[in-house]
Amino acid sequence: MVGKSILIVDDNPASRIFLANHLRGKQFKVLEAPTGKEGLIMAWRDGPDLILFDPTLPDIVDREFIHKLRNNSRTSEIPLIALSTDPGPARREICLKAGVDEYLVKSSQAILALEGSLTRIFGAETPIEAVSKADKKDGLLILFLSAKGGTGTSSLCANLAMNIQQGQPEARVVVADLVLPIGSISQIVGDKGKLNLAMVTDLQSGQTNVEYFHKNLPTPELWQFQLLAGSPDPQHGNDIKGERIGQIVDTLCSAYDFIILDIGRSLSRISLPLIQKADLIILIVSTDQSTIQLTKTVWDYLQTQGVDSQKIYAILNRAVGLEGLTKAQAEEIIGLPIKTTLPYMGSNFALANNLNQPITIKYPTDTASIIFKGTAEDMVKLARHLRAR
Ligand SMILES: Nc1ncnc2c1ncn2[C@@H]1O[C@H](COP(=O)(O)OP(=O)(O)O)[C@@H](O)[C@H]1O
Ligand SMILES: [Mg+2]
């Protein structure tokens, strides 16, 4: 459908130029007429594939303009869209009766409505549809990763996701536990385990569409986000087909505003493409020598895979108490700035986890709660900023 021609008839130059530029940007051939009379001549002479006109033309009344097109064999079949300055019902009625296919009113929604009309008229395979699909932005993909188990990746993933959801209650947030062969977020948030990654990957890809996730993923009490729980045991985890995970994440990306993935310490063929696709990579680090060294190895590897350092958001989590390296030493070894440091919370963290409560609810005045809130805000800001580049 690339190259279909559209004639714009509009006496308002600003409006006409705006529409013309917009449609040219969508690969249409555009003809412009500043008056009704010129519009008719061009329509009869050039036979465009569609005519878009403002029926409030000063030189010819709307009904007459439409009749002249409809009663001429060269233009009788051309789709006609009125994009009107007049929001009133009377003119709409007149134009529809006279034979326009669609009557739209100029407003902030007009371009969107117009694109819908063009898709209807030219069919699904128009460049408009391709472009508006690309225009419809996927949600922000935020991925949690660590170089070593036990650094608090899953706990931080759940708690930061909860704070992201709380910061924008109108957004749809999903957390997917992709740690194989066995997940742990459902234990942290107290999910009943009715649905998990193994069950979802067993379904045909056609079944696991946007509506499926909106409708079926549970929302654990107190946590507010929707959860795709991880594999419940190694047997199921090892049976999961890798390509299904990619498809499922793609669907989640079009279904949610924030897609928060826990991939644990995995750098597999399944997780690497997700890391490369992510808007933000939350790298959880603890202060012990071995974790820091492993983190450096992981980061060196990710760089060879084309991962941009701007996307790495390193969090130092003092999951194992105060011993170990300082933040500056850790930064020096890894070669990345540490954006946030979470204090050691002693047994309080495990206690909140065991009660399936978010830290910010169980210990609202604790320093860690304040840090969780601020970090969640900062992450969202950075992810949005990187997306807008
Ligand atoms: N800042 C912290 N203070 C105290 N305990 C923590 C802290 N962060 C994590 N933990 C504890 O560390 C353990 C491992 O956390 P988990 O989130 O399962 O790590 P991972 O997913 O990296 O394996 C849990 O018992 C958790 O409660
Ligand atoms: Mg984990």
Side-chain angles (χ1 to χ4, degrees), residues 235-261:
Q235 182 65 59
H236 282 97
N238 287 324
D239 287 346
I240 285 174
K241 294 175 220 73
E243 74 279 8
R244 284 290 288 136
I245 292 192
Q247 294 165 354
I248 285 164
V249 171
D250 281 349
T251 308
L252 293 177
C253 284
S254 45
Y256 291 85
D257 302 306
F258 293 91
I259 303 89
I260 297 167
L261 307 181

Side-chain angles (χ1 to χ4, degrees), residues 146 148-156 179 184 188 262 264 284 317-321 342-351 353:
S146 63
K148 202 176 170 189
T151 48
T153 317
S154 301
S155 317
L156 263 52
V179 177
S184 69
I188 295 171
D262 181 6
I284 310 297
N317 180 29
R318 300 194 182 276
V320 286
L342 269 165
Y344 179 57
M345 292 188 66
S347 55
N348 279 357
F349 208 122
L351 186 62
N353 280 359

Side-chain angles (χ1 to χ4, degrees), residues 12 72 109 272 302 337 373 378:
N12 178 335
N72 185 301
Q109 305 298 306
L272 191 60
L302 291 180
K373 199 161 172 283
D378 197 36

Side-chain angles (χ1 to χ4, degrees), residues 303-352:
Q303 278 174 291
T304 69
Q305 299 303 305
V307 173
D308 177 358
S309 65
Q310 304 241 51
K311 291 189 174 180
I312 307 278
Y313 193 101
I315 298 180
L316 185 64
N317 180 29
R318 300 194 182 276
V320 286
L322 291 168
E323 78 280 15
L325 302 169
T326 65
K327 175 178 170 244
Q329 288 169 325
E331 285 176 326
E332 171 86 33
I333 296 172
I334 309 168
L336 280 168
I338 285 167
K339 303 275 173 99
T340 301
T341 302
L342 269 165
Y344 179 57
M345 292 188 66
S347 55
N348 279 357
F349 208 122
L351 186 62

Side-chain angles (χ1 to χ4, degrees), residues 54 67 69 90-91 96 189 267 287 294 333 337:
D54 189 333
H67 281 159
L69 292 169
R91 195 187 297 267
L96 287 169
V189 305
L267 287 172
T287 44
L294 279 169
I333 296 172

Side-chain angles (χ1 to χ4, degrees), residues 296-307:
K296 179 182 167 38
T297 308
V298 165
W299 172 228
D300 287 347
Y301 173 68
L302 291 180
Q303 278 174 291
T304 69
Q305 299 303 305
V307 173

